Every structure is written in C-alpha cells, then in structure tokens.
Amino acid sequence: GQLRAVFTRHQFDVVIHLAGEVGVRPSLMRPADYVAVNVGGTLSVLELIKEFGVGQLIFASSSSVYGKRIPGEDFVETDLPAPISPYGATKMGAESLCQAYAYQYGTKVTVFRFFTVYGPGNRPDMACYKFTAAVDKGVPLHLFGKNTRRDFTYVGDIVEGIVKAVQKPVVFEVFNLGNSEPQTVARLVEIISAALGKTAKIVWEPLPAADVPFTHANIDKARLLLGWTPQTKLETGIDNLVAWYKINSAL
C-alpha cells in the first residue's frame, strides 16, 4: 500500500531499487524473511513499474550470487550462478524476475552485482565498520579465515556506476561493480589501524559455512558498455570511512 502510494503521487522515469534484507550469515537464520523482502519485495516493485509504465529499472544484486569459485579466478557475469546462502539465492531469484519482466513488458533493466561496498555511511553490521569500531575501541577483533579476500568497492564508485546506468539504458544487462583488486581481511585491518593510528587485537576464527573464501570482480563489461572504472584505492576509501566514523561515533 505504501509503495503504491509513492508511485501514485510521483511520476518516475527510472526506479533505482537498492532496498533489501542484507547479510549472508543472518540469512541462514531467517530465510523466509529474505525471500519475502528480496524476492517478494522486488516483485512488488516490478508490478508497480509495469502498471505505471516506468521505463527503466536499476536493481542492486550481489556478488553472493556467484558462490564459491576456484581461487585465482575472477567472477564474470556469464558464470553460472551458484549461491551458497539464502541471501545469495534470493538475490538470484530477484535478478531472474527482473529479466522476465524486462522480456515480457519492455522495461529497460540494469542489474548490478555489487562487491563488498564500503565507505562513509557504512552499515554497522559490515566488516569495514565493525573492524573500524573494534580497533578504535581496543576490543578484540574476530577475523574469519586467514586467507579470506574480498573485492572491497568504494561507495562513491558504486554511485558513479549507477549514474552511468541511468544515462545509458539497456534492454537487460547484468554488470559487476567491483574494485577488481581483492585484498585480504588482514590487509584491510592494517589499513584501518593505520588510518586510526591504533593497533588491532586480532582473534582468528574459521570461515563460516555461508561465507565464500574470496570475491574478485571482472569489470570488463562495465568498462566497455558503461565507461565505468573504479577510481578509489582501498587506502583512500578507508581514510574517508574513518573520518566519517570519527564524526558519527562522537555524536
């Protein structure tokens, strides 16, 4: 009802759908919630887009749709999805609905698979924020899997990708948006520690079953079709995150 009211009050050329139930590990505990929001919620958006004749949709998916890969290989959009968590599965389901609606009703759809987005405004449950808070407060920091690597992508670069997609509508395409420079979580903590000028107290834990050991975006397609290239190195992005954190943690 509330969503319908928004579509009734306003006329949209583009809908950018970033909402969802997030987090891999919590999805193991509440899979029904994730299906209801990520699949059911996306269907509600698609139905309203169809009804109100909105021409373009940009949908936020996730690198989680890829699942576990052979170490050393990057993730390409044409790879067969193989999610290993309910979260990843719901994002894959939502992508499929987007594709079906694009085909059936002619809405132009861009699907973005985001890779570990971080920066100012970071969700408190995400690694970059949690690590920053732990190092700042001097509490033990639990790291999962010594060789775990993530393709950390700065939020400003993600926004730039979304803007480019708005400017270049496509019939239906899936794009990776990632930094394409995976870093170990240990290196991430080093950078955060340096930015804060404090020492981390690390406790190593085994990698949880729902977590993948690494992510690595192949971004050739986004470069070619959207003219998008990430601009922000992890050190610069973490400096910006830490500056934001210091202001907001003091409030």
Side-chain angles (χ1 to χ4, degrees), residues 102-174:
Y103 180 84
Q104 291 292 341
Y105 306 113
T107 305
K108 301 207 178 295
V109 179
T110 301
V111 170
F112 280 132
R113 292 173 179 166
F114 296 155
F115 282 69
T116 315
V117 185
Y118 75 96
N122 228 141
R123 291 201 330 264
D125 63 302
M126 290 188 74
C128 289
Y129 186 101
K130 286 199 292 190
F131 294 177
T132 300
V135 174
D136 182 52
K137 293 170 183 170
V139 299
L141 177 56
H142 294 261
L143 297 186
F144 298 90
K146 287 205 172 183
N147 296 314
T148 304
R149 289 180 296 126
R150 288 288 180 271
D151 201 339
F152 299 103
T153 314
Y154 187 63
V155 63
D157 289 330
I158 293 289
V159 171
E160 182 65 21
I162 292 169
V163 170
K164 285 184 179 295
V166 171
Q167 295 166 340
K168 294 186 178 180
V170 292
V171 175
F172 176 85
E173 296 290 348
V174 177

Side-chain angles (χ1 to χ4, degrees), residues 54-67:
V54 178
Q56 187 184 6
L57 169 67
I58 293 164
F59 174 67
S61 188
S62 165
S63 62
S64 296
V65 303
Y66 289 109

